[in-house]
Amino acid sequence: MTIKEFFRGLIFLIIGFFLLVYLNNVFTLADSNESRQIFNGFYAEKEDTLDGVYIGASSANRFFASPYAFEKSGAAIYTLAVPSEPFVYNQFLMEETMKTQDPKLFLIEMRWFKRTEDYVGEAHVRNVCDSMRFLSLNRIKGINAVLGYYAKGENDLDYEKLNYYFPVVKYHGRWQADDFYKEDLLLTRTPQKTKGFCMSGTNTFKQVDTALFPAYTQELEPLTDVTEECLDDFLDYCDSITANVVFVLSPFPVMEEDLKPLNQAMKIVTDRGYQVINCCTEEAEKAMDIHWKYDFYDEKHVNIQGAEKFTDYVMLHLQESYDMVDHRGDPAYKSWEEAYDAYVDFSAEDRKKMEHD
């Protein structure tokens, strides 16, 4: 091989590599996708400005109103949570966070533990990995860990790793779909406006038609061996980092059969010395003043009124345990003030209706 042929081959490989990266960034979740925009917003945060990161699923991103928490306390806590996010991802999302941020604490939602390794859909996996940066090693590690966990269960998940490593395999036909726009071709990264708190069309002050009431219990039910191993491994990881880790169980009209394994998971966590903010107790219900009809927009998720009650309750516990810096008025946190403005503007019409009722 001549030197000329070598350089031709090298140039071809370089061009091929960048083309591969480009195509896998284009043919993935649409830029308009909620999960993608939550990650876009996180990646757009200035380095070393976050006090905390709340990781979980919709039981986090529709419950913890980050802009509202900032307005009330000045704490910058980003909600890096997407629908049905598997708990197994948490370590790798924390590692991804610490590449650009030095948070004092992580909040970890626990509602996932009412499920087992049998319960999963492909969207649960892809909402995270297809929203992360394509070249992130944490993305690959997360995919491997999640598929490894669910492979021990009985489910219909696609276990071909390359289909997750390279989104173009899944989404190559998107150019023919109705959700493919020039923003995708231009690799636009539209950030979510309210710091991870999801304000979809149903999550303003909509109420459930019929209230469901929780069945509180202190009884325990063992986790599956696979799930308990997953939790133990995560706690080992938490032991290895300097940031504080606080576990949270958000309020919902939990059934007794669901609460028993959650109680077991919380016991494991507290036995390891970690704080749990358990909102599924009668005491927490009274302290938050949660109303199961007026504070929920469906049986699993609070509306904005419920989110504010939950956020106040969580922040009260955090402020009692940790020194939270007040960033209100700091020019470096202007985007948080803008996020609160967007938060209020989105629900302004509903708020006026509430005031007149």
Side-chain angles (χ1 to χ4, degrees), residues 323-343:
D323 293 326
M324 307 297 292
V325 178
D326 186 347
H327 300 292
R328 288 173 293 186
D330 186 336
Y333 290 82
K334 183 180 179 181
S335 68
W336 285 83
E337 296 172 357
E338 293 171 347
Y340 180 72
D341 290 340
Y343 170 84

Side-chain angles (χ1 to χ4, degrees), residues 62-76:
R62 282 169 169 76
F63 281 70
F64 190 78
S66 295
Y68 174 79
F70 181 84
E71 174 65 17
K72 287 287 187 177
S73 69

Side-chain angles (χ1 to χ4, degrees), residues 19-28 134 165-169:
L19 180 61
L20 178 66
V21 172
Y22 173 75
L23 290 176
N24 277 285
N25 276 286
V26 170
F27 292 99
T28 182
F134 174 68
Y165 293 163
F166 301 103
V168 68
V169 174

Side-chain angles (χ1 to χ4, degrees), residues 299-314:
E299 64 181 36
K300 297 179 180 178
H301 304 99
V302 287
N303 56 27
I304 289 180
Q305 182 170 273
E308 291 182 355
K309 292 181 178 182
F310 169 74
T311 303
D312 282 336
Y313 186 74
V314 170

Side-chain angles (χ1 to χ4, degrees), residues 23-141:
L23 290 176
N24 277 285
N25 276 286
V26 170
F27 292 99
T28 182
L29 290 179
D31 180 65
S32 59
N33 181 276
E34 178 183 271
S35 298
R36 177 93 174 255
Q37 290 188 353
I38 288 171
F39 274 82
N40 290 346
F42 166 74
Y43 286 127
E45 291 293 320
K46 295 179 181 178
E47 290 193 13
D48 294 332
T49 57
L50 296 182
D51 299 309
V53 178
Y54 196 152
I55 296 175
S58 61
S59 46
N61 70 21
R62 282 169 169 76
F63 281 70
F64 190 78
S66 295
Y68 174 79
F70 181 84
E71 174 65 17
K72 287 287 187 177
S73 69
I77 302 176
Y78 194 95
T79 308
L80 188 61
V82 297
S84 298
E85 180 256 310
F87 189 90
V88 195
Y89 268 129
N90 287 359
Q91 172 183 337
F92 308 100
L93 293 181
M94 291 163 74
E95 291 183 358
E96 186 76 357
T97 294
M98 290 186 286
K99 286 163 59 174
T100 56
Q101 302 291 335
D102 186 22
K104 292 181 179 178
L105 60 90
F106 286 99
L107 302 177
I108 305 297
E109 173 59 42
M110 294 195 69
R111 200 187 295 187
W112 182 82
F113 285 97
K114 69 185 181 70
R115 299 175 175 174
T116 72
E117 60 272 21
D118 298 335
Y119 182 92
V120 66
E122 187 172 333
H124 302 167
V125 182
R126 288 194 174 276
N127 281 339
V128 179
C129 67
D130 290 352
S131 301
M132 295 178 72
R133 286 176 172 166
F134 174 68
L135 293 178
S136 171
L137 182 59
N138 290 321
R139 176 176 168 273
I140 301 301
K141 289 180 179 178

Side-chain angles (χ1 to χ4, degrees), residues 263-319:
N263 286 340
Q264 177 64 24
M266 287 187 285
K267 182 179 185 303
I268 292 172
V269 169
T270 54
D271 285 349
R272 290 284 295 266
Y274 288 92
Q275 179 183 3
V276 175
I277 303 176
N278 180 6
C279 298
C280 287
T281 67
E282 292 182 81
E283 293 78 12
E285 177 187 337
K286 292 177 182 177
M288 284 184 287
D289 190 28
I290 281 286
H291 194 291
W292 302 107
K293 176 176 174 61
Y294 301 118
D295 294 334
F296 282 73
Y297 76 86
D298 68 18
E299 64 181 36
K300 297 179 180 178
H301 304 99
V302 287
N303 56 27
I304 289 180
Q305 182 170 273
E308 291 182 355
K309 292 181 178 182
F310 169 74
T311 303
D312 282 336
Y313 186 74
V314 170
M315 289 306 302
L316 177 64
H317 281 268
L318 296 181
Q319 289 172 317

